[in-house]
Amino acid sequence: MKVYKYRSIEENCFKRDFKTLAGNTFYSPNYTTLNDPFDIYFNEQITPLIKILRAIFPDNSISNFENELKKTLDFKERVGIYCLSKDFLNEQLWAYYASSYFGYCIEYDLNKLTDKSQNSDFEYQLEIHYQDDIPTIGIDDIKNTDSFIKKIYAIKKSTWEHEDEIRLIFNNDGLKKFHSSAITGIYFGFKTEQIIKESFYDLFKNNDVKFYEVFPSNFRLESKLIYETKRSLKYKINKFNFEFLREPRENRWEQIFEVYYKGNSNDLNEIKEFVQAFKEMYCFKKSTLYIFNNKEVVSLLDIYPMNEDQHIEYNKSTIQIVYEL
């Protein structure tokens, strides 16, 4: 999924953002910097109940619960929140956040922004729900972490609905890292100066990035491709004959690939070069690569436990398994 960050070209803002992008980083701020005064705004109905319980049961357990609640609610003071949109042709966002079409909009691969191998403190990816009722946190929400988090961080007033927002929540505010392939495109406003465009062309000259211009047409915004940069690769993956046995899998920490290699599986140097070329082309975090010599093995990939015959067939089909690629 692609998500978008609109940015201004006001001098101080642009210099700061350009520096962070050059370092493959972005800044996830504390909620106090957000421009909506009603962001992270909620009613909390638990404290009054605790006061009643303390009067009835004057023991330490109630005080301990109260302290834990306070810690949980105070957690918002250090959380980092990175706000993104699902829309790169949003007229209001271009006007508000991208210097009225003089600025730019960054296109990210959301999957790569939420990679815990880059930021171990990443916790939640939240789609904003828009409503005009103040969210209320009660006892049931304390028992349901997802509900608790969503009521605090993922509810905004309906006046902001046009932003079509997604939020990334980190345990701490500050600079966050991303893999260099996480940025897949840059959209320039139709008023963006050429010197700004060229600075980005140069910054991403060794990345696979497409550059677009957003412009008004027929009473709506449209975009067109105006430039493209490509990585300079050490290895050429196209020289190797292989196919994916199924869609790559991944979790927050690891990618898992299973491929049928059609080349010379007995040539260890060829296999070694293939592994390096595969890593360069496809891997953006720790990965495991399973290389097989036939495609029929796919029927065994999810069998556990295997019987003896299946083990024999699986081992005969395996060329190499590369861990922590």
Side-chain angles (χ1 to χ4, degrees):
M1 179 179 178
K2 300 297 176 64
V3 289
Y4 304 90
K5 187 71 172 178
Y6 292 80
R7 303 309 296 156
S8 166
I9 58 161
E10 293 180 11
E11 185 175 2
N12 291 336
C13 180
F14 179 75
K15 287 182 177 179
R16 178 199 65 203
D17 290 345
F18 198 83
K19 182 178 179 180
T20 59
L21 290 174
N24 293 328
T25 57
F26 61 89
Y27 189 76
S28 181
N30 174 275
Y31 81 97
T32 57
T33 68
L34 302 177
N35 59 356
D36 177 5
F38 301 108
D39 227 329
I40 323 299
Y41 193 92
F42 53 88
N43 284 331
E44 182 264 296
Q45 294 183 337
I46 304 172
T47 299
L49 179 60
I50 290 175
K51 291 179 180 178
I52 295 172
L53 292 174
R54 192 193 302 146
I56 300 172
F57 307 104
D59 58 27
N60 289 334
S61 62
I62 301 300
S63 295
N64 290 340
F65 182 78
E66 186 176 21
N67 290 335
E68 288 303 312
L69 174 65
K70 186 177 186 305
K71 286 181 184 178
T72 302
L73 295 175
D74 287 347
F75 180 61
K76 71 180 188 296
E77 302 300 327
R78 61 185 179 89
V79 162
I81 304 173
Y82 196 52
C83 303
L84 300 150
S85 176
K86 292 184 284 183
D87 184 5
F88 64 90
L89 293 176
N90 188 300
E91 295 173 36
Q92 289 116 319
L93 299 188
W94 275 103
Y96 299 160
Y97 303 122
S99 303
S100 295
Y101 300 93
F102 282 97
Y104 61 98
C105 176
I106 307 166
E107 178 184 84
Y108 288 107
D109 181 325
L110 179 60
N111 186 44
K112 294 180 179 180
L113 281 189
T114 57
D115 174 14
K116 282 184 76 74
S117 67
Q118 294 287 336
N119 300 291
S120 61
D121 70 333
F122 168 72
E123 287 298 329
Y124 297 98
Q125 171 188 318
L126 303 172
E127 292 204 26
I128 298 300
H129 174 70
Y130 300 93
Q131 65 182 50
D132 289 323
D133 298 322
I134 300 173
T136 299
I137 296 174
I139 289 291
D140 289 341
D141 297 308
I142 294 297
K143 296 183 290 184
N144 184 334
T145 303
D146 285 344
S147 174
F148 183 80
I149 293 297
K150 287 178 181 178
K151 283 189 175 181
I152 293 180
Y153 300 106
I155 294 179
K156 296 188 68 171
K157 294 182 69 174
S158 59
T159 49
W160 297 88
E161 190 169 3
H162 63 277
E163 294 197 344
D164 203 6
E165 186 178 339
I166 284 182
R167 283 185 170 172
L168 307 186
I169 306 297
F170 299 85
N171 283 334
N172 300 284
D173 60 4
L175 282 177
K176 308 299 173 184
K177 299 179 293 182
F178 60 79
H179 189 271
S180 58
S181 63
I183 292 180
T184 55
I186 300 290
Y187 291 79
F188 299 114
F190 65 96
K191 297 179 182 178
T192 307
E193 296 182 3
Q194 187 63 25
I195 190 172
I196 298 292
K197 295 178 182 178
E198 290 176 357
S199 66
F200 279 104
Y201 299 160
D202 186 61
L203 178 62
F204 295 111
K205 61 185 177 184
N206 289 320
N207 296 73
D208 294 330
V209 178
K210 293 183 178 180
F211 299 88
Y212 304 87
E213 181 178 286
V214 170
F215 58 95
S217 176
N218 296 320
F219 214 50
R220 65 180 184 181
L221 291 181
E222 295 186 5
S223 65
K224 62 181 178 181
L225 182 68
I226 58 173
Y227 196 75
E228 187 172 359
T229 54
K230 290 287 188 181
R231 283 183 293 168
S232 177
L233 299 177
K234 180 179 179 181
Y235 300 95
K236 297 187 182 299
I237 192 68
N238 291 335
K239 69 181 282 189
F240 300 100
N241 191 5
F242 72 99
E243 66 178 86
F244 289 94
L245 289 175
R246 59 183 180 180
E247 287 293 317
R249 294 171 291 144
E250 63 182 80
N251 52 45
R252 287 185 172 185
W253 300 97
E254 181 186 27
Q255 295 172 283
I256 301 172
F257 302 93
E258 294 136 335
V259 301
Y260 163 35
Y261 188 71
K262 305 175 185 179
N264 184 359
S265 60
N266 295 317
D267 187 334
L268 296 181
N269 288 328
E270 180 179 320
I271 295 297
K272 182 178 180 181
E273 185 179 349
F274 167 68
V275 169
Q276 293 301 317
F278 189 94
K279 176 181 179 180
E280 183 180 44
M281 175 59 71
Y282 296 108
C283 301
F284 67 89
K285 59 182 173 183
K286 183 175 72 174
S287 302
T288 299
L289 172 61
Y290 294 82
I291 309 173
F292 300 101
N293 59 23
N294 66 78
K295 62 192 308 181
E296 288 72 26
V297 71
V298 71
S299 64
L300 301 175
L301 296 182
D302 290 326
I303 295 178
Y304 182 84
M306 293 183 188
N307 61 36
E308 184 177 352
D309 289 340
Q310 290 168 334
H311 264 299
I312 292 172
E313 184 60 33
Y314 183 87
N315 290 334
K316 285 171 55 180
S317 301
T318 303
I319 298 174
Q320 191 172 341
I321 301 175
V322 186
Y323 299 102
E324 296 191 9
L325 184 61

